[in-house]
Amino acid sequence: MYRSRPHGNLDDSALSFLSSVYDDHNLLYYDIIGSQAHVVMLYEVGILSKNELKKILKSTTSLLNEASLLKEFGNSSSEDIHELVESAIIKMTDIESGGKMHTARSRNDQVVLDMRMKVRDDINNICQNLIILISSIIKRAEENMDSIMPMYTHLQHAQLGVFSHYLLSYAYSLIRDFDRFYELYDRVNCSPLGACAIGGSSINIDRERVSSMLGFSGLIYNSIDATSSRDSLIEFASNSLICMLNLCRVSEDLILWSTSEFGFLSLDDRFSSSSSVMPQKKNPDPLEIIRGKTGLANGIFQSISSIMKGLPSGYSRDLQEIKPSLWKMSSLLQDSLLITDGIIKTFNVNKKRMYEISSESYAISLDIAEQLIKKKNISFRSSHKLVGGLVDCAVKKGNISLNKLSIDDLSQVLTNTDFLNYGITPNDLYVLIKDVTPENSINYRITKGSPNKQEQLEMLLFLNRKIDEYQKKCKLRIDSLRDKISELGFTVEKHIDDPS
Ligand code: ARG
């Protein structure tokens, strides 16, 4: 629209090809408050008169209160939201007042400003969503400390565990997601404004003042860095992808455990789909969508890094293409966190089924091997061999449980595995196997972080404390940002209402 050197307008096809105006609509609010802070500063350093400031601020508040006004100002003839807002303000004021708004500012620093303001809000939302989800997981873990179930490696029975142990493992990884986002906020929350196109300005503006009015903690100091780099925004995408990968693992576990074959869980009907043709169906579609969206998130991350790769320093229009991908990433993560929370809060746990499968499982083999080491003072390798022989015998007898092996079976195994001279009698083995009930299998595991009750309580204590701490620091950050932005609102109103 502001074409001082080129003659005439862009070709319609070129305009619609390069315009980001429709993708930019979720930057509108940030663009307007960013402009308000900029013009207040321009007034304070003597570049705008009081009257010019009032005119501009009045039109910004009309745009804020009535975004539909923008339509009248030629949505479709703008290259982006910055141009649209500026031209709307010039039309609502006049070229000599509104035309001063862009003094010592470029769309190159402006777009990064808007993106950083949006991403910091998104980070705060994601942190809050993470706290909600982790709290729900902790609550379900507290209810399931005695829900004995097999733990899997290679998707085969490995050792016995408890359901709370799995749930708490999810909470730990989501705590790290929280940490990643929380720390990132400080890198995102710096103002690029005043960097101008790439090399600053000869007009003596006050970059710090704008930064503080908008709630930033400081500047991106170097003007080339401020306009060229997107690393903190890429970090947002990367944190989002990592968090999606964590949610994807949760989803896959829940999908498996809610099959008829496992039968450990049943999803609430509110989070299950049906089939158009098979009346019996209750499908875990929301979880599958999270798995699918994780693929999408991976693709989005690749798009962003591919766009960045090979760009020179200084603004290039390619950078515009990052924005829709970032917004898509942010919304798919926020949606997935909410849905996962709903599913975790409402699924039913079939403790009986979990226990039945556990009590027939060979997942107690390692516990038996360790008891043999302790009681019979043999090496781990020998014990591994003997217990392997027991399992082999039980499988050959039709997959019976180890505690169903008879004294005869046990003496046969001792003979076949060359354990006759180890001072282990069939009766010793019989008593030892009977002792390793599913409950004892868990109780005997004493290492830190294992599934026994005491350790589950330790983990719950740690996570509950963390969540309290995170809730407090998140609230402080959100409140202080909100206060800053409302302070800016008061400053704007004060200027508009000033009779002088
Ligand atoms: N619409 C652009 C973007 O989203 C804003 C910056 C345009 N700057 C320029 N010099 N063409 O990145």
Side-chain angles (χ1 to χ4, degrees), residues 224-288:
I224 304 175
D225 183 32
T227 49
S228 311
S229 45
R230 297 289 187 274
D231 53 314
S232 309
L233 303 173
I234 299 175
E235 203 179 338
F236 175 77
S238 133
N239 288 354
S240 304
L241 172 59
I242 295 172
C243 187
M244 282 305 293
L245 288 166
N246 285 333
L247 295 183
C248 189
R249 174 161 70 93
V250 176
S251 302
E252 179 58 12
D253 283 349
L254 300 185
I255 289 169
L256 277 173
W257 294 337
S258 59
T259 57
S260 319
E261 284 71 16
F262 281 83
F264 295 164
L265 302 174
S266 67
L267 301 183
D268 191 274
D269 286 356
R270 284 167 292 172
F271 292 94
S272 309
S273 297
S274 55
S275 156
S276 62
V277 60
M278 295 168 281
Q280 85 284 8
K281 282 293 232 157
K282 184 175 150 180
N283 293 329
D285 293 29
L287 291 166
E288 291 170 339

Side-chain angles (χ1 to χ4, degrees), residues 4-71:
S4 298
R5 180 183 169 178
H7 300 285
N9 291 331
L10 270 168
D11 189 79
D12 282 351
S13 61
L15 177 64
S16 72
F17 183 63
L18 62 81
S19 175
S20 64
V21 75
Y22 292 105
D23 288 333
D24 284 347
H25 266 271
N26 49 14
L27 291 182
L28 174 64
Y29 165 73
Y30 302 104
D31 203 70
I32 295 174
I33 63 169
S35 296
Q36 289 179 330
H38 182 65
V39 294
V40 167
M41 178 278 293
L42 289 179
Y43 164 74
E44 288 172 356
V45 300
I47 289 159
L48 290 182
S49 70
K50 185 73 178 201
N51 194 31
E52 290 163 343
L53 174 70
K54 282 170 77 164
K55 281 201 227 167
I56 297 175
L57 288 180
K58 261 191 206 153
S59 38
T60 57
T61 49
S62 323
L63 286 181
L64 263 187
N65 298 333
E66 217 179 320
S68 59
L69 270 182
L70 277 177
K71 288 208 188 86

Side-chain angles (χ1 to χ4, degrees), residues 18-21 24 27 79-83 106-112 115 197 230 315-323:
L18 62 81
S19 175
S20 64
V21 75
D24 284 347
L27 291 182
E79 284 191 34
D80 52 39
I81 201 76
H82 325 296
E83 190 184 288
S106 156
R107 285 182 299 163
N108 298 352
D109 52 354
Q110 198 179 348
V111 66
V112 195
M115 289 173 84
R230 297 289 187 274
Y315 182 83
S316 302
R317 196 65 176 257
D318 316 42
L319 291 167
Q320 175 173 293
E321 293 296 314
I322 288 176
K323 289 184 297 180

